[in-house]
Amino acid sequence: MPPVQIQPNRPARHGRRMRRLDIAAMTAPFAALALLAAVTVSSRPASAAAAPQPPALTESQAVWRAASRLGYWPSEERAAAIRAHAGGARGWALDEIDRAFEASRQPARVPDHLPAVTTALSTVFAEARREREERFKAVRTAAAAAAATAAAAPQQQMHQMPQMQIQQTPAPERMQQQGAAAPAAVQPSSVASARQAATWRLISCSDPTVENPLLSRMTEFWFNHMNVFAGRLTVRPFVGHYSLHAIRPNVLGRFEDLLLASARHPAMLFYLDQNQNVADGTPGPQGRVRGINENYARELMELHTLGIDGGYTQQDVRELARVLTGWTVDPDGPSGFRFVERLHDTGEKTVLGRRFGGPGAAGGEREGIEALAMLAARPATARRLSLRLAQFFVADEPPRALVDRLAAEFLASNGDLRRVMRMLVASPEFWDPANELFKTPYDFACSALGVSTRAAAPPPVMLTLGFLASAGQPVNGWQTPDGYRTDAATWLTPESLTRRADLAAALARGLGEPEHLLAFYAEPTRERIRRVEPGSRAALALAAPDFMRK
């Protein structure tokens, strides 16, 4: 299933191509510096806790780190707020966690031009049903036309054409199952819905007046951890709702609640085929017999909770899938989820040594709720989530001592993600200059778009989405459940730096002198940028290696 391709609005190239190449040429030395610096990013071994104490961050570095890791870049307003805080950058960062939590309790401020993101699930289901019927009709019409053409062809072609046409035109059911593209004549609204969902993600991460930056950052992290793919036809209409209503409200709450919200959302139910998970022997359409589907149960254990080395077996996966039978979608209900008792396996199951169902045990939907709670509270889950949070916010290879402390706090607080984040931000490892992070393409896009937003009305979101697609990180476009990698080794390549320079040149048009950014940069970077002509300095500032760090 190919990812959704969201093409940018392409400006006329006449008179601009040379300028973009000039910017790329000017940033070539920066690219080399960034690649050389890559060996130091997160390179300190996890066992180096006894190494000599490194020098502390300067005030400017602390401001950059707080704003760029608990958001995407230090706007002038945020930088001033951090400097003015009585507790310095660390005190501001701890308060920012509370501000993000309060923001997550409120409805998102979605712009009026993105209505698909806030559409009620019952309406989304109805529109998806209409679109599916139109797609089936178009496929049948195309098949009938092909058959008529084959019947009218010369006798010598009749033995080949019908068979070829049948192979090339998938049946509607197979088309839906495989996520195949609709015929060109059909204009699916789900494509517009997916584009609006991606647009919302970029607006929310680049405009602090729309979304609290840390809340946007946490939504990014947890969506990626419980990834769904917008390229799958059944999932595509629900991706925006999933991000806004399943992930966003729970990113600083209890992990158990976040896990349950994801498990019950139509996007996840469709994506990992949980809607097809029924008790063995369940009667299906046309006399077929249906049965267990293990897809969601496997990813729930391997990715969302315990991890691949979390101590479970294939038998545990099978038993967990039995526990979750009957969890499916509800096209007419407000939540999009329902439990269907007749599809549930009522027998006794054992998952990780715990019994579910059978005499004297909770049954029905309650089995699944208790199983999710059990997985959320396991020490293996606490360690896996703590490691991933530390990799996202501290270093690609975070110190083991930090991960251990975060895992202990996770267990002691019953999975309270706000408390875990407070411990992470208060830790000396978060502020250690040796623990560096390199921006992913999404990080870079959000921060560069944020810098340029004031000079563009409206902001060039489609251009930026096009950059992300070409850079290998299209929004909501990762096909497999493991989500995008976030480490420097994945994203720090000469080609990727050249693409960033191109985007920097495009976004920097109309920007003034980048003095606010330069104040955070090392002196060699500032000197190099100040030597170029004024009209090129903003682009060079956005393409500098200093801007690639967070």
Side-chain angles (χ1 to χ4, degrees), residues 93-435:
L94 289 169
D95 287 350
E96 183 70 356
I97 295 172
D98 295 333
R99 286 189 289 269
F101 174 77
E102 293 302 324
S104 73
R105 306 289 97 181
Q106 304 300 319
R109 296 190 292 270
V110 180
D112 293 340
H113 68 279
L114 303 176
V117 181
T118 56
T119 301
L121 278 176
S122 57
T123 303
V124 177
F125 270 108
E127 184 61 23
R129 186 184 305 114
R130 181 196 62 77
E131 185 179 309
R132 183 173 62 251
E133 291 170 353
E134 290 182 356
R135 185 165 55 248
F136 288 177
K137 181 179 178 180
V139 169
R140 294 188 184 100
T141 300
T149 300
Q155 183 66 34
Q156 62 268 27
Q157 297 181 6
M158 293 183 63
H159 298 291
Q160 300 176 356
M161 290 297 293
Q163 182 177 3
M164 290 175 59
Q165 200 66 47
I166 291 173
Q167 293 173 343
Q168 295 173 358
T169 306
E173 293 78 8
R174 189 162 62 250
M175 182 178 182
Q176 177 72 20
Q177 197 173 51
Q178 296 174 348
V186 179
Q187 300 296 327
S189 64
S190 63
V191 173
S193 174
R195 184 177 292 113
Q196 289 190 28
T199 299
W200 159 250
R201 289 280 302 277
L202 270 190
I203 290 176
S204 67
C205 74
S206 61
D207 188 348
T209 67
V210 172
E211 183 77 300
N212 174 277
L214 176 56
L215 178 54
S216 179
R217 175 68 84 180
M218 297 299 298
T219 302
E220 175 202 347
F221 174 83
W222 286 112
F223 183 102
N224 195 58
H225 183 75
M226 300 176 181
N227 182 58
V228 298
F229 173 48
R232 186 166 184 178
L233 287 178
T234 52
V235 177
R236 185 184 299 164
F238 302 96
V239 169
H241 193 281
Y242 176 71
S243 175
L244 211 65
H245 296 281
I247 303 299
R248 180 184 179 274
N250 297 294
V251 294
L252 287 167
R254 294 174 63 245
F255 176 69
E256 178 185 335
D257 297 333
L258 173 61
L259 190 65
L260 183 60
S262 170
R264 284 173 157 168
H265 197 277
M268 184 61 72
L269 291 166
F270 280 130
Y271 177 54
L272 292 177
D273 303 319
Q274 173 57 35
N275 64 309
Q276 300 177 26
N277 181 29
V278 299
D280 280 336
T282 300
Q286 300 176 347
R288 291 178 295 182
V289 176
R290 303 165 62 196
I292 300 294
N293 187 302
E294 299 178 2
N295 286 357
Y296 176 66
R298 179 175 296 105
E299 306 304 349
L300 176 60
M301 286 184 150
E302 179 178 331
L303 297 177
H304 298 177
T305 57
L306 304 173
I308 196 168
D309 57 350
Y312 65 92
T313 66
Q314 172 55 33
Q315 183 63 24
D316 288 317
V317 172
R318 177 76 178 179
E319 294 289 276
L320 179 59
R322 292 179 60 209
V323 167
L324 293 170
T325 49
W327 286 46
T328 188
V329 297
D330 182 4
D332 302 314
S335 70
F337 167 82
R338 61 175 173 166
F339 173 76
V340 182
E341 185 71 46
R342 63 180 176 82
L343 303 178
H344 183 61
D345 184 330
T346 58
E348 185 176 310
K349 311 98 177 169
T350 303
V351 181
L352 298 172
R354 176 171 169 177
R355 183 168 65 88
F356 295 88
E365 182 184 358
R366 193 69 211 170
E367 292 180 38
I369 295 173
E370 291 185 359
L372 289 172
M374 176 189 71
L375 292 174
R378 300 280 288 196
T381 298
R383 181 159 187 84
R384 171 170 169 74
L385 299 184
S386 297
L387 174 61
R388 297 206 73 185
L389 283 166
Q391 289 172 329
F392 192 76
F393 286 101
V394 177
D396 292 345
E397 298 179 16
R400 282 195 295 267
L402 172 63
V403 176
D404 291 343
R405 296 199 308 275
L406 296 178
E409 180 68 8
F410 182 96
L411 294 172
S413 66
N414 195 24
D416 187 327
L417 299 176
R418 179 161 56 151
R419 283 180 52 176
V420 174
M421 281 299 299
R422 288 185 67 83
M423 173 168 281
L424 184 151
V425 166
S427 71
E429 291 88 347
F430 182 85
W431 304 99
D432 187 339
N435 288 326

